[in-house]
Amino acid sequence: KQEVTQIPAALSVPEGENLVLNCSFTDSAIYNLQWFRQDPGKGLTSLLLIQSSQREQTSGRLNASLDKSSGRSTLYIAASQPGDSATYLCAWGNYGGATNKLIFGTGTLLAVQP
Amino acid sequence: DAGVTQSPTHLIKTRGQQVTLRCSPKSGHDTVSWYQQALGQGPQFIFQYYEEEERQRGNFPDRFSGHQFPNYSSELNVNALLLGDSALYLCASSGVTGQGVDGYTFGSGTRLTVV
């Protein structure tokens, strides 16, 4: 059974810091790994999708990497801003196959202090 | 390009009642999935619809049922509501576009409160 774990559960940093959020999964038969952002009481906003054949994706100040051998993904946020404050969720998923669903971690609650 | 649209945004129901939530997928997506998110938890997979059929189901009782229409929109129905059904219900659409696999796109969710 696939399990997804996110560390740390919560993080508070001063504005301008670079930070790393971690995501680990137990089933190394990785298909795709997607990172989401969730503001309080809101839906999920997709940040980055790393397909199984890829090792990383970048969008602006965000960079996500995937290491299938170790069962880990990291989300790197450069030069953090107060507007980055949210819960960040990673999700393992198979898109189009027999197990076509996402399995989520419990998230990392990020607070960026001005 | 419209994303995933869910309605209603908030709903309050009484224990034992029935509820229907609605979802319109992102343009170009043909697959709709439903997730339940309890407070402080990650979303949990309920089921997925493709070609108007339930293709996959998570660990949820039969009180949870759904439907997909020919235009790919979907409904989630919950019967005999329990207090524990109070949660944020998220709809996600996915598909394969001309650029290949398109990641899941989520709606803003429906906040269901059972009293």
Side-chain angles (χ1 to χ4, degrees):
Chain A
K1 176 186 176 186
Q2 176 68 281
E3 293 184 2
V4 180
T5 304
Q6 290 189 247
I7 295 173
L11 184 63
S12 180
V13 300
E15 181 177 4
E17 272 205 5
N18 302 325
L19 57 99
V20 174
L21 308 181
N22 296 293
C23 173
S24 62
F25 37 90
T26 53
D27 186 346
S28 61
I30 187 70
Y31 293 105
N32 299 295
L33 199 294
Q34 192 165 359
W35 283 91
F36 296 89
R37 167 187 172 136
Q38 186 174 33
D39 293 295
K42 304 295 185 182
L44 307 184
T45 300
S46 179
L47 299 174
L48 291 164
L49 166 66
I50 310 176
Q51 298 188 42
S52 59
S53 59
Q54 301 171 330
R55 298 193 67 174
E56 67 176 341
Q57 284 288 326
T58 297
S59 176
R61 295 183 292 108
L62 306 180
N63 174 274
S65 65
L66 175 62
D67 184 344
K68 291 187 283 186
S69 63
S70 65
R72 292 175 60 185
S73 177
T74 59
L75 178 66
Y76 176 82
I77 302 177
S80 59
Q81 303 171 357
D84 295 331
S85 299
T87 296
Y88 290 80
L89 293 155
C90 70
W92 173 98
N94 181 11
Y95 298 41
T99 56
N100 192 345
K101 64 180 180 183
L102 292 177
I103 298 175
F104 284 86
T106 52
T108 293
L109 177 60
L110 173 65
V112 180
Q113 308 300 329
Chain B
D1 181 22
V4 176
T5 304
Q6 290 188 245
S7 63
T9 55
H10 296 85
L11 206 51
I12 299 175
K13 288 287 188 177
T14 303
R15 219 171 10 168
Q17 285 189 316
Q18 179 264 344
V19 68
T20 297
L21 310 182
R22 295 177 175 82
C23 172
S24 293
K26 177 182 176 181
S27 177
H29 284 181
D30 56 7
T31 302
V32 173
S33 306
W34 287 91
Y35 290 79
Q36 181 195 65
Q37 186 179 24
L39 203 59
Q41 301 295 316
Q44 299 292 315
F45 175 74
I46 302 175
F47 44 53
Q48 181 181 88
Y49 278 84
Y50 173 71
E51 293 188 338
E52 302 180 48
E53 291 193 357
E54 183 182 294
R55 177 159 69 174
Q56 200 175 183
R57 188 179 185 90
N59 189 25
F60 279 79
D62 291 344
R63 298 187 297 108
F64 290 77
S65 64
H67 189 77
Q68 185 179 36
F69 300 94
N71 66 353
Y72 307 122
S73 66
S74 177
E75 289 182 348
L76 164 65
N77 301 292
V78 187
N79 294 321
L81 284 167
L82 304 174
L83 296 179
D85 294 331
S86 296
L88 180 67
Y89 288 85
L90 296 163
C91 172
S93 69
S94 57
V96 179
T97 69
Q99 288 74 45
V101 171
D102 197 16
Y104 285 83
T105 301
F106 280 78
S108 299
T110 294
R111 171 69 63 186
L112 173 64
T113 302
V114 182
V115 298

